[in-house]
Amino acid sequence: MTSAVTSDTSARPGYGQLLRTPGALGFVLPGFAARLPFGMLTISILLLVQHTTGSYGSAGIVAAVTGISMALSAPLMGIFTDRFGQTAVLLPVVLAHSAAVTGLAALALLDAPVWALALAAVPTGASVPQVGPMVRARWAATLEGSPLLPTAAAFESVTDEFTFVVGPVLATALCTGVHPAAGLVTEAALTLLGGLLFAAQRASQPKTHAPSVTGEKRAFALSFPGLRVLIFAFLGIGAVFGGMQVSLAAFSNEMGNPGANGLLYGVFAAGNMIAGIAMGAIAWKIGPRRRLILGYIGLTAAASVLWAANSMILLGALGLVVGLCIAPALITGYTMVEQLIPANARTEAFTWLTGSIAFGQAVAVILAGRLTDAHGSSFGFLVPMGATALALTALLALRTRLAPKAPSRIVNASAQEDAPAAPAKTESKAPATAQATTRTTPSTASRNRVNERGMGHRVPVTVD
């Protein structure tokens, strides 16, 4: 049993080994180019519509309609992708999205009324391609049965973090330094180019799961209670992104330095990225459920003091702390999907979480925009505070639903720590043959000696 543990950890699967997987870069690079626009869309709409209408409230309405449309269409797009394949879904979607974004930008520059902009925002949001879940599905198909699969899940979580924080910074720089519509134009171009390149990588596409072909019963991700709990948590995270985008822009204007918005959001982004990278260097000795709760407590506490900032330096420091607290909650939530959802429903599950972020962001943009217009940026920062507090309450109340109902393919000590203990009576009444089998199975013994390391790495630990 000792040799099994040693061989399992001696390889130390890492990001370098992961990216050397044959064919990986062929879908990772275009996949990143195609998913980066997701982080640019909301802030680009906010800045353009606020520029043309002079109202953060109006800009928030248009951005919110976009986010809500995306949140409603994302799970459906995930189901179609599982059934018909990624290329069949991506080709029409990226073309439709680029056209819809271009039309929205044109209407805004022509000073169209808010209702017209909101109407144009519906196809803009509904056609956002779900590239992130598609990339995750390709990793799962490429690395099936490989010890690199947990590392791939961690890599995708870091990539999501990078998208969520770099996209808004890039969009802000384009909208404030080039032209108010430059963010949306770039978003449309990247979606089209990256989406077509990603769809062209047919060799790495996972197999479809049409019931008529496989004969298996379709499992819908939303039927699993653990996913519904994660949706609450991700709604709060989305509200942080939306509330920060509106309120940081308004605060910069109040300080007489609109260009500082990009700097402030960059500091927030830096905190997010630093925490995301650090997640992979920590040897966690607590399970993912407890880790998610602790991370969310920190996020709620950090978001609760943003409203008190009265200077650029103080707001930058507080934004850095909020950024540091987002990554642990977000990454842990994404990685828990493997434990909670069966393989044939995980693509859909990822789209639910992505849609939850978009929906939370959309609602926060509306509320923060109206509060900012009426009372100033300090009141806009109350939205992240309230949203994270509500999400944390739901997370604490429903935390028992985050325990896996069945053992996952890879079991570790931290996951067992979070799982409810089996009743003593059941264990004592188990047949002797079953007990003997359990004692002589090498994988069970080795799994009990493995502890999760950060995002996907595993190291041996001492077990009493």
Side-chain angles (χ1 to χ4, degrees):
M1 286 185 287
T2 303
S3 60
V5 177
T6 304
S7 61
D8 190 29
T9 59
S10 60
R12 300 262 181 144
Y15 297 124
Q17 184 182 353
L18 178 71
L19 295 177
R20 287 192 296 270
T21 301
L25 292 179
F27 65 83
V28 168
L29 295 179
F32 175 75
R35 72 208 288 188
L36 179 62
F38 175 70
M40 300 175 62
L41 185 59
T42 299
I43 189 64
S44 296
I45 293 174
L46 278 171
L47 295 176
L48 176 60
V49 177
Q50 194 278 331
H51 173 79
T52 58
T53 64
S55 169
Y56 284 105
S58 298
I61 291 174
V62 179
V65 172
T66 304
I68 292 171
S69 299
M70 184 210 138
L72 295 176
S73 69
L76 186 62
M77 198 177 298
I79 294 173
F80 286 159
T81 300
D82 282 336
R83 176 164 296 192
F84 301 111
Q86 295 184 2
T87 298
V89 173
L90 268 179
L91 290 178
V93 164
V94 297
L95 292 172
H97 182 72
S98 299
V101 169
T102 302
L104 176 59
L107 286 174
L109 293 175
L110 292 173
D111 295 324
V114 175
W115 66 264
L117 297 176
L119 189 63
V122 174
T124 298
S127 59
V128 172
Q130 298 301 306
V131 179
M134 292 181 185
V135 174
R136 282 184 165 89
R138 292 196 184 213
W139 279 122
T142 303
L143 301 172
E144 185 175 2
S146 168
L148 281 171
L149 190 56
T151 307
F155 177 81
E156 286 307 305
S157 295
V158 174
T159 303
D160 280 333
E161 289 290 316
F162 195 73
T163 298
F164 292 142
V165 297
V166 172
V169 173
L170 176 60
T172 299
L174 290 169
C175 291
T176 58
V178 179
H179 188 276
L184 279 181
V185 172
T186 304
E187 193 272 350
L190 284 176
T191 298
L192 182 61
L193 178 61
L196 293 178
L197 288 175
F198 181 75
Q201 308 299 316
R202 296 174 180 267
S204 56
Q205 288 192 74
K207 296 179 180 179
T208 58
H209 295 281
S212 59
V213 176
T214 63
E216 64 178 336
K217 185 177 180 180
R218 165 78 184 165
F220 289 96
L222 200 59
S223 64
F224 295 89
L227 179 65
R228 298 197 292 269
V229 178
L230 290 179
I231 285 174
F232 279 112
F234 276 56
L235 284 170
I237 293 174
V240 174
F241 285 117
M244 291 287 283
Q245 287 173 356
V246 173
S247 302
L248 287 176
F251 185 88
S252 300
N253 283 333
E254 292 171 0
M255 295 290 107
N257 188 6
N261 177 39
L263 176 62
L264 289 174
Y265 205 94
V267 172
F268 167 67
N272 213 335
M273 286 304 303
I274 291 171
I277 295 172
M279 288 282 290
I282 299 175
W284 296 105
K285 296 184 178 180
I286 57 176
R289 180 177 59 176
R290 194 178 306 170
R291 208 160 64 231
L292 175 64
I293 293 174
L294 291 176
Y296 221 95
I297 291 173
L299 175 60
T300 304
S304 298
V305 295
L306 287 169
W307 62 271
N310 55 9
S311 69
M312 300 279 286
I313 295 177
L314 180 57
L315 183 57
L318 293 177
L320 177 67
V321 175
V322 174
L324 289 170
C325 294
I326 283 183
L330 190 66
I331 290 175
T332 304
Y334 269 124
T335 55
M336 289 183 73
V337 170
E338 186 179 359
Q339 296 180 349
L340 299 172
I341 309 298
N344 65 347
R346 283 178 194 155
T347 302
E348 181 195 348
F350 287 129
T351 59
W352 274 107
L353 296 183
T354 303
S356 298
I357 293 175
F359 191 86
Q361 187 175 13
V363 175
V365 162
I366 290 180
L367 295 177
R370 291 193 172 277
L371 289 172
T372 297
D373 280 343
H375 306 289
S377 62
S378 296
F379 282 79
F381 286 121
L382 294 178
V383 174
M385 179 183 73
T388 52
L390 289 174
L392 177 60
T393 301
L395 190 59
L396 291 173
L398 304 174
R399 63 188 182 277
T400 56
R401 300 185 182 183
L402 291 173
K405 298 302 180 184
S408 57
R409 189 172 55 83
I410 298 178
V411 182
N412 51 53
S414 59
Q416 292 177 355
E417 178 189 41
D418 276 341
K425 290 184 178 180
T426 303
E427 184 177 354
S428 63
K429 293 182 180 180
T433 54
Q435 294 179 7
T437 302
T438 301
R439 289 195 298 268
T440 58
T441 301
S443 59
T444 302
S446 62
R447 286 170 182 169
N448 287 340
R449 299 175 182 267
V450 175
N451 188 35
E452 182 181 350
R453 177 176 174 82
M455 302 177 296
H457 302 284
R458 297 180 293 169
V459 295
V461 295
T462 302
V463 179
D464 293 334

